Amino acid sequence: MADTIFGKITRGEIPTEFLYEDEHCVVIRDIQPQAPTHVLIIPRKPISRLVDSQPEDQTLLGHLLIVAGKVADQLGVGDAFRLVINNGEGGGQTVFHLHLHILAGRDMAEGQLASGLN
Ligand code: AMP
């Protein structure tokens, strides 16, 4: 897949504050937050879209969910957050390096699926 800004961020080529990092992923603040808390969990492995993930990515995908819960907790929003993955242009994806959005700090129950991103 083509390199993206998230590839450069995960490799440390663009100085970006990591709220969390481990050998598999990094967590950064979204540059255009859609909620008071809006962070991105980005695997170091560049997978273009969720649908491009393979059976061998199963452990990684599970890890990203575990990290999401931990990071939400650390940010003080562990009781009320939304986790979003946009898949493909039609799904609102703009950066083609798989990532998870954590959104919190506003009424996430309002608007249900319509609220959120894009
Ligand atoms: P998506 O639309 O799901 O592909 O999400 C891409 C997200 O990345 C958007 O919410 C952007 O605001 C965010 N974004 C793009 N470039 C950066 C950057 N350099 N640092 C942090 N967030 C970014």
Side-chain angles (χ1 to χ4, degrees):
M1 61 171 262
D3 195 19
T4 68
I5 185 119
F6 289 174
K8 294 183 172 67
I9 288 174
T10 54
R11 294 193 302 272
E13 293 167 15
I14 296 177
T16 306
E17 182 193 0
F18 292 162
L19 303 183
Y20 170 90
E21 68 172 311
D22 62 27
E23 61 183 311
H24 301 297
C25 65
V26 307
V27 179
I28 65 171
R29 290 200 186 279
D30 196 291
I31 206 166
Q32 275 192 298
Q34 306 293 312
T37 297
H38 186 174
V39 303
L40 304 172
I41 301 159
I42 309 172
R44 294 187 190 275
K45 178 177 179 181
I47 299 167
S48 183
R49 305 169 300 170
L50 180 65
V51 289
D52 298 313
S53 58
Q54 300 297 316
E56 65 262 27
D57 298 318
Q58 184 167 329
T59 304
L60 173 62
L61 295 178
H63 179 72
L64 299 177
L65 293 180
I66 299 279
V67 168
K70 282 187 186 158
V71 168
D73 218 25
Q74 280 166 17
L75 293 173
V77 298
D79 284 335
F81 67 93
R82 174 170 296 159
L83 200 57
V84 171
I85 297 175
N86 293 326
N87 182 90
E89 257 177 50
Q93 186 173 2
T94 57
V95 179
F96 285 80
H97 177 136
L98 173 69
H99 53 281
L100 286 61
H101 298 254
I102 296 177
L103 294 146
R106 60 177 165 81
D107 185 358
M108 304 311 296
E110 198 177 305
Q112 296 300 327
L113 289 175
S115 65
L117 293 167
N118 303 311

